[in-house]
Amino acid sequence: MLKALGEAKRAGFGGGNSGGCAGVRNGAVIAAGRNQREALQDPTAHAEMLALREAARALNSWRLDECTLYVTLEPCIMCVGAILQARIARLVFGCLDPKAGAVASLMRCAMTRGESPRGSQQRHS
């Protein structure tokens, strides 16, 4: 989570939303991202999306099923979709996002039938 917080701090200096993300496998950080929508003028340049791309390149695989994703802010619906597609084993986020959160706030997109979590999600306090 410290790496994700560092990325968020870097994003904040750029004048955009200060979201940060880190991908971890076997205790080692393999990818990191920060929100760069404004800098890149790309609506998909969320911290999670950039970190997922970097992790896939690092592992030479789109299947990230042995990875944990640490995110400073609850992911939006686009990011949750990508997280599920990448088969991330565990999602940890720092705070709820009442405006766009798609794990627990506005929607529960990371759930399967019977409301049991797909993978493991937890909020980091």
Side-chain angles (χ1 to χ4, degrees):
M1 184 58 85
L2 289 176
K3 178 67 173 170
L5 289 167
E7 289 294 318
K9 187 174 183 180
R10 288 179 62 198
F13 290 134
N17 181 321
S18 57
C21 181
V24 175
R25 181 176 181 225
N26 298 327
V29 175
I30 60 164
R34 64 185 177 280
N35 189 315
Q36 295 191 57
R37 287 183 304 171
E38 292 297 327
L40 300 176
Q41 290 300 297
D42 177 353
T44 69
H46 291 202
E48 299 92 330
M49 301 297 283
L50 299 174
L52 288 170
R53 289 181 189 125
E54 186 177 317
R57 278 192 302 270
L59 299 178
N60 197 32
S61 175
W62 63 268
R63 289 180 184 90
L64 306 175
D65 55 349
E66 295 179 0
C67 297
T68 297
L69 205 62
Y70 293 91
V71 188
T72 56
L73 184 64
E74 178 184 9
C76 72
I77 192 166
M78 173 184 67
C79 293
V80 168
I83 289 164
L84 292 173
Q85 289 298 316
R87 301 180 183 170
I88 291 290
R90 184 170 168 235
L91 170 65
V92 180
F93 57 90
C95 64
L96 295 171
D97 180 3
K99 196 166 124 184
V103 176
S105 295
L106 292 179
M107 295 167 262
R108 288 180 171 41
C109 295
M111 300 293 193
T112 59
R113 279 188 288 193
E115 291 296 306
S116 58
R118 178 176 177 164
S120 172
Q121 301 92 26
Q122 69 184 75
R123 200 173 93 208
H124 183 76
S125 329

